[in-house]
Amino acid sequence: NILFDYTNRAKARAYDFTPLSGVANSTTVFCNESGKYSVYKSDRYGFNNDNKAYDNNVQILMLGDSFAQGACVQEGEDIASRLRDWGYNTINTGMAGIGPLIELAILREYGPHLHPKKILILYYGNDIYNLGVEINHPLLIKYLDPDFSQNLFHRQPEINGFLTNFIKTRESFFSRNLVNYKNYLTLFNLRQFLGFSGTVAYNKPQLNLSSYKEVLEKILLESERLEAQLFFVYLPGLKDLAGESPVKLREEVLSIVKGLQIPIVDFFKELKKDKDPAKYFSFRMDKHYNAQGYKKLARLIEGQVLQINHQLRVGADLPQKN
């Protein structure tokens, strides 16, 4: 993630801005957890959307990390694409590896230009820990000031140039370091994929919980400024569903959300009802959801957030697609 690449921070200061999206209108190779790489064409602002979505009123704006972005499934199988197929014009601003403070920043930068009616925060368990990194970023912390903005909506050519240069720099680095012999000898990447690289011992981050509440309050404030209704979507991992996750912050996080009176869409509860929730994960492993899992989540969002507001439909008689 470019935001946390220490070799690039001096350049970021020189540019006096930090990009929050990807290169626009570019073929983007994402990830592979199903045996086939996820590839999509980024939109005019570097996110994973069809550009046509910007030509109509934006009904839903999605914030989140790789799950929102549509990690490891094919183009059209992500949550936002499903919702658009079913008649709800949705803009997905998800980016892999980001946390709550960057989500606040993205909402600040793009929300006022999109005028969404509803905003969805897709929360996954590592978001609290991502926030612990983000609050130490000298520019990102400025987004706690409700008047701060980088005006990124109108700076996409600069963003494209900055990111293209960054990518070329990293390509040059990897071309000179084709093999990390330690990782090669220990099969680190394969072990990590299979879940055998060791268990991280997390401490409960009380400070980050208080910081999370502050950031969530700011996101709620931004939503109210936009006159949009905010929803919190809780995403579980497979280990969460099995009660094996080392990170146990679900109840603490949901308590914060309830205290702010933000409606909750709980995918954890939905998957717990299923006799075989592992079928919604690629190769039945604790990774991202597969296409079936993203579709089930999109249906839950439709049922709890959208179907009760039929005026949001692009066409009242539009049939739902499978």
Side-chain angles (χ1 to χ4, degrees):
N1 190 317
I2 188 173
L3 290 166
F4 309 120
D5 187 281
Y6 287 92
T7 64
N8 210 48
R9 285 191 175 184
K11 293 181 182 179
R13 287 194 293 272
Y15 273 76
D16 194 32
F17 81 104
T18 293
L20 303 175
S21 62
V23 179
N25 299 311
S26 176
T27 299
T28 305
V29 180
F30 198 175
C31 53
N32 182 352
E33 291 179 355
S34 66
K36 184 177 181 180
Y37 275 98
S38 172
V39 181
Y40 66 87
K41 179 72 175 292
S42 62
D43 66 26
R44 65 188 69 172
Y45 299 109
F47 298 111
N48 183 11
N49 298 289
D50 186 327
N51 270 318
K52 294 178 182 179
Y54 294 96
D55 298 334
N56 299 300
N57 292 333
V58 178
Q59 298 152 337
I60 308 148
L61 179 65
M62 275 183 22
L63 304 169
D65 61 7
S66 52
F67 286 87
Q69 191 177 359
C72 307
V73 293
Q74 298 307 300
E75 194 168 27
E77 294 178 338
D78 59 284
I79 303 161
S81 292
R82 293 291 190 186
L83 292 172
R84 286 194 296 268
D85 282 348
W86 300 336
Y88 307 99
N89 193 33
T90 304
I91 294 292
N92 162 31
T93 64
M95 296 296 291
I98 72 171
L101 187 54
I102 298 180
E103 292 165 9
L104 168 63
I106 288 173
L107 181 58
R108 176 85 48 76
E109 296 291 346
Y110 297 93
H113 304 280
L114 300 176
H115 307 290
K117 296 189 180 301
K118 294 184 182 291
I119 297 168
L120 308 181
I121 302 174
L122 273 62
Y123 174 90
Y124 188 71
N126 61 1
D127 285 2
I128 288 288
Y129 300 95
N130 291 339
L131 177 60
V133 177
E134 293 172 351
I135 58 177
N136 292 312
H137 191 284
L139 189 144
L140 291 176
I141 196 66
K142 294 181 181 180
Y143 280 98
L144 293 179
D145 177 351
D147 296 321
F148 177 76
S149 172
Q150 300 182 76
N151 197 30
L152 294 180
F153 190 83
H154 299 293
R155 300 176 71 179
Q156 192 61 42
E158 290 179 73
I159 294 172
N160 290 345
F162 180 82
L163 292 177
T164 299
N165 179 66
F166 173 78
I167 292 169
K168 288 180 179 178
T169 301
R170 301 307 289 168
E171 285 179 343
S172 176
F173 172 81
F174 285 116
S175 68
R176 297 192 304 270
N177 298 270
L178 291 177
V179 178
N180 181 316
Y181 290 101
K182 180 180 178 182
N183 285 355
Y184 175 77
L185 291 173
T186 59
L187 300 177
F188 174 80
N189 292 324
L190 176 61
R191 285 162 55 81
Q192 187 177 55
F193 179 78
L194 295 176
F196 299 142
S197 58
T199 301
V200 177
Y202 290 108
N203 293 317
K204 185 177 290 187
Q206 296 292 351
L207 176 61
N208 284 354
L209 280 170
S210 63
S211 298
Y212 183 67
K213 181 179 180 181
E214 180 181 8
V215 172
L216 196 57
E217 288 172 339
K218 300 291 185 182
I219 292 175
L220 181 58
L221 177 62
E222 291 295 324
S223 302
E224 292 171 348
R225 281 181 170 183
L226 296 172
E227 298 182 345
Q229 187 175 10
L230 181 65
F231 290 84
F232 182 92
V233 184
Y234 187 92
L235 308 180
L238 190 56
K239 287 185 178 180
D240 299 316
L241 293 165
E244 299 173 358
S245 174
V247 184
K248 302 202 180 288
L249 290 171
R250 170 178 161 80
E251 295 306 322
E252 292 94 326
V253 168
L254 291 183
S255 178
I256 291 172
V257 178
K258 291 174 183 176
L260 295 175
Q261 298 184 339
I262 301 172
I264 297 170
V265 178
D266 196 343
F267 199 40
F268 178 93
K269 286 186 177 179
E270 184 69 12
L271 291 187
K272 286 291 283 186
K273 298 175 186 176
D274 199 292
K275 294 181 180 179
D276 183 24
K279 67 176 178 285
Y280 298 112
F281 296 80
S282 295
F283 290 114
R284 306 176 67 85
M285 299 178 69
D286 191 30
K287 300 293 182 180
H288 293 93
Y289 307 135
N290 56 25
Q292 186 181 3
Y294 283 121
K295 183 178 179 181
K296 186 174 183 66
L297 175 55
R299 284 296 191 195
L300 181 66
I301 291 171
E302 182 189 34
Q304 295 194 8
V305 174
L306 299 169
Q307 283 193 337
I308 59 174
N309 292 276
H310 294 288
Q311 68 272 18
L312 283 181
R313 297 289 296 238
V314 170
D317 299 323
L318 187 66
Q320 294 185 359
K321 298 182 180 181
N322 295 323

